[in-house]
Amino acid sequence: MAEDRGLAVGGFADASLAAPATAAGTEAARADLIYGSNILLQNQYGGDGGYLDTNGRSSQPDATYNVSTNQTPSSRGPATSVWKVVSTTGKTNGTRVTSGDVVYLINQYSSGTYLDTNGRSSQQGAKYDVTTSPYTDRGTGTGSWKVLPAA
């Protein structure tokens, strides 16, 4: 079972990452965010807004799965809440992710798809919908995510 605790990640205070128990390098992932690590992302709304998770096929153009949060990691299917951290600039697996790095997050369910923004959201206060895609970036930067410390 994954351990769920706040961590200091690459000099960040209050980051919430949990390394899946089956991930290689679990101890390193608990201390720092490392390229090539498989992680869980837990939303902090209300103290536990759930784990970022794929959730059913998406009808958005060039998308694979919808994305939402789930109370229990990967309860919808194998590794639906597990995300691999990959550099967009070629940093090698095993090196530390630092503040300001831009990463791809690859969901580990099925064939592995990239976290991606996809179309303007119709939800009040939201900017873009989020899905997964088989492409690193469907459009310029749509699948690229900058790592920043929590405010």
Side-chain angles (χ1 to χ4, degrees), residues 11-121:
F12 302 36
D14 300 317
S16 182
L17 299 172
T22 58
T26 297
E27 290 306 315
R30 289 183 179 147
D32 288 317
L33 182 57
I34 304 295
Y35 284 111
S37 293
N38 286 335
I39 62 170
L40 301 174
L41 297 169
Q42 184 183 39
N43 184 272
Q44 296 301 286
Y45 179 70
D48 178 10
Y51 296 88
L52 194 64
D53 193 81
T54 54
N55 185 4
R57 289 270 176 196
S58 175
S59 61
Q60 291 280 51
D62 294 322
T64 307
Y65 299 109
N66 294 312
V67 175
S68 63
T69 61
N70 190 1
Q71 189 61 39
T72 305
S74 300
S75 63
R76 292 186 179 117
T80 58
S81 295
V82 178
W83 302 85
K84 183 175 184 176
V85 182
V86 177
S87 173
T88 63
T89 60
K91 291 186 179 181
T92 58
N93 286 347
T95 60
R96 193 171 137 237
V97 178
T98 59
S99 181
D101 282 0
V102 179
V103 301
Y104 295 123
L105 295 171
I106 305 171
N107 188 263
Q108 297 302 289
Y109 176 73
S110 189
S111 61
T113 52
Y114 296 83
L115 187 65
D116 189 72
T117 56
N118 195 331
R120 292 221 176 259
S121 178

